[in-house]
């Protein structure tokens, strides 16, 4: 039996940025969003959404997501005030302005896939939620 050599994929370069302390995890209401201000004035919309029973990475039976807070259609910082929901298993938020729906995982607009907002990393450290804002 011959075994082919294992090809290794190059390791992606780390992204420069800052983890921004947002708020205590317990202050976030499941199904609601809050705005987070980055070090250079960037805005993120942070959401705590219910997790599926099979989701092993969930934090306290919920999952955290962060996307850009600026609605690219209305050009206002409002996505954190949008209506959070689910579209076929995809966690989403609908803009309170034009009602366009954005994926909370990727930031892609489900109504027009050519439009998107940034998607940010989220972590919990000592029950404090932090959002990664790239430099």
């Amino acid at each position: 039996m011959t075994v082919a050599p294992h090809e290794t994929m190059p390791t992606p370069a780390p992204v420069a940025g800052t983890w921004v302390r947002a708020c205590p995890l317990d202050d976030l209401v499941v199904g609601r969003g809050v705005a987070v201000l980055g070090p250079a004035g960037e805005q993120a919309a942070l959401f705590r959404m219910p997790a599926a029973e099979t989701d092993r990475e969930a934090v306290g039976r919920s999952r955290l997501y962060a996307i850009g807070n600026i609605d690219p259609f209305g050009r206002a910082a409002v996505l954190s005030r949008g209506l959070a929901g689910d579209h076929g298993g995809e966690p989403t938020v609908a803009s309170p302005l034009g009602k366009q729906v954005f994926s909370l995982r990727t930031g892609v607009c489900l109504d027009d896939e050519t439009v998107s907002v940034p998607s940010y990393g989220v972590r919990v450290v000592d029950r404090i939620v932090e959002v990664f804002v790239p430099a």
Side-chain angles (χ1 to χ4, degrees):
M1 178 166 105
T2 305
V3 178
H6 178 69
E7 291 185 31
T8 58
M9 296 296 292
T11 304
V15 175
T18 305
W19 285 100
V20 175
R21 292 171 57 95
C23 62
L25 177 64
D26 297 331
D27 286 358
L28 294 174
V29 177
V30 175
R32 304 289 296 274
V34 297
V36 177
L37 187 61
E42 311 89 349
Q43 291 192 36
L46 173 64
F47 291 87
R48 185 175 184 182
M49 300 294 289
E53 287 296 319
T54 58
D55 190 347
R56 294 182 181 182
E57 295 179 13
V59 178
R61 300 305 338 133
S62 60
R63 183 162 282 274
L64 302 169
Y65 300 96
I67 61 172
N69 194 34
I70 307 295
D71 178 332
F73 295 97
R75 305 212 189 279
V78 296
L79 290 182
S80 62
R81 294 178 168 196
L83 181 62
D86 181 283
H87 186 269
E90 180 74 18
T92 61
V93 62
S95 171
L97 297 178
K99 308 304 184 235
Q100 291 87 358
V101 178
F102 295 86
S103 165
L104 290 177
R105 292 178 210 252
T106 65
V108 172
C109 178
L110 301 183
D111 299 310
D112 181 351
E113 292 183 0
T114 65
V115 178
S116 65
V117 295
S119 176
Y120 301 110
V122 181
R123 70 181 183 186
V124 178
V125 177
D126 296 328
R127 306 236 8 117
I128 301 296
V129 179
E130 297 180 346
V131 176
F132 185 78
V133 178

